[in-house]
Amino acid sequence: MPLARPLPLVIAFAISFGATQPAFAADGVAGPYLAGRIASRVSDYEAAAEYFNRALLSDPTDSGLLENAMVAQIGRGAIDKALPMAQRLDEAGMPNQIGDLVVLADLARNGQFEAALDELDGGRSGGPLVDGLFRAWSLVGMGRMADATAAFDAVAGNEGSRAFGLYHKALALASVGDFEGADHIFSGEADGPLRATRRGVIAHAQVLSQLERNADAVDLIDAIYAETSDPSFFALRDELAAGKPVSFTVIRNATDGLAEVFYTVASALNTEAADVNTLAFARLAEFLAPDQSESVLLCASILEAQGQFALANEAFNRISRDDPAYVAAELGRADALIAGDRTDAAIEVLQQLSRDHADRIDIWAALGDTLRRQERFGEAAAAYDKAVALFTADDPAQWVIYYTRGIAYEREKEWPKAEADFRKALALNPDHPSVLNYLGYSYLEMNTNLDEAMSMIERALARQPDSGAITDSLGWALYRLGRYDEAVGHMENAVELMPLDAVVNDHLGDVYWAVGRKREAEFQWKRALSLEPATEDEAQRIRRKIEVGLDIVLQEEGADPLKLTKNGD
């Protein structure tokens, strides 16, 4: 499939679901309504649905309450409960776009395509793009393929929706067995190249297989997804390479096609913001094709972005174990559990995944990352070991696993192993600022390789000049080298960049003390102490500096004394 630049999102074709405010007067409505509005603003669809339903008990005819409740039900995935609300809005003479889409989706799910067309002709609308594609797929469902083709062409005839119309026309042709016509569009021969989306590539590969062109299908996958870790492509490519005929399954019927309409729009909107509009389209796609894992995963990712981790977890859980997307869903579920402060549950998910899929580098890396963030460094290093053991050849992308394993080893005080991993990460990705800074700063803390540490940190800062952490490292390197006057400006800049970091404020205090600005040093140490140092040992050291000064603390620790400043202070 020839590649084109990504399609611009035509905002004019998107709909806006802005629920109206009810003009309530009845007692018992105001409280639940306001609570529902607050819940809606933070995307808490479960709570919003409950509160708006309570308000409706007091005033069941208020159109604003009905609309708000309907939107909340869609957000939580309860399209069946949103439908009667949309119908009640119709009866009250207050239809709206989201209600129209719910009614149309319900008709499509029940195969009532002629009724759906009648509704469109009667004024129901989800916006020009959705209406055009909905009409075309409804005609496919009615067996009127010639009329459907003309309807897809009408959508493609608009410059802003050209790619949408062509893509769906290709899917429709393939769904009725016209694979040559579908390939003519997918290949770009008909009207130019289409954007190479994941589902589009799978659809085109299946079309090519139906045309007995498995080799071309393999070449297509290799050209676009040669570096993929997506198991769907592994399985599909293996079947194609073995010469097996692969059925066209992306779109099985017109209802699937209409689900694809909602999924297509949701995917386009998702590049802009994970808002209720985007979620509504994804939920309707899921409603029409509940076994389509892509829609379920999209719903889950939107909900996770909105902070609705419980609902996201429910969505991830709906992906069955035999689905090629299962591992991706479980990895997503682990992320949602972590974001929802259920890290122990996330670790259990990842550990089970690692037992079931011991050959997956990404699973071991995710487990290592999660354990490392929980400061379970030994277990994290063991998980990273499993990932590294699966490497068959050096690849620049491997740098991050060596880097994170190096951090785990360093925190476990296994410095030779940590240093080797940091060096390996730099060999794979020279001049990466995070690795340069971590290794350079580690040398500073050990008071060794100071010149090399200085060089590493300067290179890191050149790559990320606005990084507070790296600026702190440079100031600290100058301090370690006895270049106190030079260190001051960098440490002050680091504090400006990271004013609430205890370590950076502590470092500035040491630098001030070294240049004789002792009152300012004590102020910075007190500030560092107020910012709650990471460990009690660090806090106790700061208290001791405030009590007796840095010189005596260094003497008590057996460290080298500070060099004299110009003033001999």
Side-chain angles (χ1 to χ4, degrees), residues 47 52 69 94 97 109 115 122-123 136 149 157 161 203 241 270 276 304 387 452 508:
F52 287 131
M94 296 290 293
Q97 282 189 320
R109 191 183 195 195
T149 300
S161 59
N270 201 38
V276 69
E304 187 175 359
E452 185 181 18
L508 179 57

Side-chain angles (χ1 to χ4, degrees), residues 236-256:
L236 177 59
R237 190 190 184 284
D238 287 346
E239 287 187 73
L240 293 166
K244 297 178 181 178
V246 177
S247 301
F248 183 77
T249 59
V250 170
I251 301 296
R252 299 160 299 186
N253 49 49
T255 302
D256 279 359

Side-chain angles (χ1 to χ4, degrees), residues 77-287:
I79 308 298
D80 57 330
K81 293 183 179 179
L83 178 61
M85 295 175 179
Q87 292 167 336
R88 284 163 63 187
L89 283 169
D90 281 346
E91 293 166 2
M94 296 290 293
N96 58 32
Q97 282 189 320
I98 189 169
D100 286 352
L101 287 173
V102 169
V103 171
L104 290 169
D106 182 67
L107 292 170
R109 191 183 195 195
N110 291 300
Q112 297 176 270
F113 301 111
E114 187 171 357
L117 274 183
D118 290 342
E119 292 290 340
L120 284 171
D121 291 337
R124 287 200 188 276
S125 175
L129 173 62
V130 175
D131 291 355
L133 293 175
F134 210 102
R135 178 177 299 278
W137 277 110
S138 294
L139 289 165
V140 173
M142 295 168 64
R144 295 166 55 183
M145 197 61 200
D147 291 336
T149 300
F152 285 120
D153 288 341
V155 175
N158 186 302
E159 182 60 30
S161 59
R162 170 188 164 278
F164 291 98
L166 289 173
Y167 172 65
H168 281 272
K169 180 181 178 182
L171 294 177
L173 291 172
S175 73
V176 296
D178 185 357
F179 299 112
E180 290 184 356
D183 175 55
H184 192 54
I185 296 172
F186 278 130
S187 66
E189 295 175 7
D191 291 280
L194 297 180
R195 180 184 179 185
T197 65
R198 178 184 181 280
R199 284 181 62 75
V201 171
I202 292 174
H204 193 191
Q206 291 179 348
V207 164
L208 289 170
S209 182
Q210 288 296 299
L211 293 171
E212 300 182 353
R213 293 169 54 190
N214 278 29
D216 290 340
V218 170
D219 290 343
L220 171 69
I221 293 172
D222 288 346
I224 300 173
Y225 288 106
E227 303 298 325
T228 186
S229 59
D230 188 332
S232 298
F233 283 107
F234 293 153
L236 177 59
R237 190 190 184 284
D238 287 346
E239 287 187 73
L240 293 166
K244 297 178 181 178
V246 177
S247 301
F248 183 77
T249 59
V250 170
I251 301 296
R252 299 160 299 186
N253 49 49
T255 302
D256 279 359
L258 287 166
E260 188 74 15
V261 171
F262 290 121
Y263 175 77
T264 302
V265 174
S267 298
L269 287 173
N270 201 38
T271 64
E272 302 295 320
D275 60 11
V276 69
N277 295 9
T278 310
L279 181 60
F281 279 110
R283 286 295 202 191
L284 289 170
E286 180 187 35
F287 174 68

Side-chain angles (χ1 to χ4, degrees), residues 61-77:
T61 62
D62 189 286
S63 60
L65 288 174
L66 280 169
E67 185 177 356
N68 279 286
M70 179 178 63
V71 171
Q73 294 292 359
I74 292 170
R76 63 190 289 265

Side-chain angles (χ1 to χ4, degrees), residues 413-452:
K413 304 188 184 306
E414 295 190 52
W415 177 246
K417 291 182 178 180
E419 184 179 27
D421 272 354
F422 293 140
R423 295 284 187 184
K424 181 68 173 180
L426 286 175
L428 293 169
N429 193 346
D431 290 331
H432 193 285
S434 295
V435 187
L436 287 169
N437 184 57
Y438 203 104
L439 180 55
Y441 186 83
S442 297
Y443 284 144
L444 292 179
E445 288 295 282
M446 293 185 293
N447 206 26
T448 186
N449 293 353
L450 295 182
D451 290 336
E452 185 181 18

